[in-house]
Amino acid sequence: MHSKKRFNIPLEVLLEAKKCTKHHACLTDDEYQLCGIRITTENHARMVCGKGTECPYCSQLGNQIVCTCPVRHAIHSKYDI
């Protein structure tokens, strides 16, 4: 039986996120917590990493920990969340 998808993200984006250690749980698990969003002073959305060092897409940017996951960014772009 296949899991119902929460979000529909293009295959190309999924292939970019091949380092994901959670098997793209953000797309299928309703309980999975997405990284948060902070709007910068330049009015850009920045993903604030909520997974910490356990995630390969967690990166230090100045004094912030940010999410660089292509799938998370695609979810934000397509669904505005």
Side-chain angles (χ1 to χ4, degrees):
M1 184 157 101
H2 287 58
S3 299
K4 181 179 174 244
K5 285 192 173 185
R6 290 171 68 185
F7 307 109
N8 190 12
I9 300 300
L11 178 61
E12 304 83 55
V13 176
L14 292 176
L15 293 174
E16 287 179 42
K18 58 186 165 211
K19 294 189 294 185
C20 181
T21 58
K22 303 292 182 190
H23 307 289
H24 305 295
C26 60
L27 300 177
T28 57
D29 185 351
D30 289 335
E31 302 296 317
Y32 189 83
Q33 289 285 94
L34 295 172
C35 290
I37 300 166
R38 178 175 296 146
I39 304 300
T40 67
T41 55
E42 298 84 24
N43 211 24
H44 296 289
R46 177 172 292 151
M47 304 300 132
V48 180
C49 189
K51 307 301 174 210
T53 57
E54 70 185 56
C55 178
Y57 293 102
C58 173
S59 292
Q60 185 81 33
L61 180 64
N63 62 353
Q64 289 186 323
I65 305 292
V66 296
C67 174
T68 60
C69 178
V71 173
R72 177 63 183 106
H73 284 264
I75 291 169
H76 175 65
S77 293
K78 186 171 183 177
Y79 298 97
D80 201 32
I81 55 174

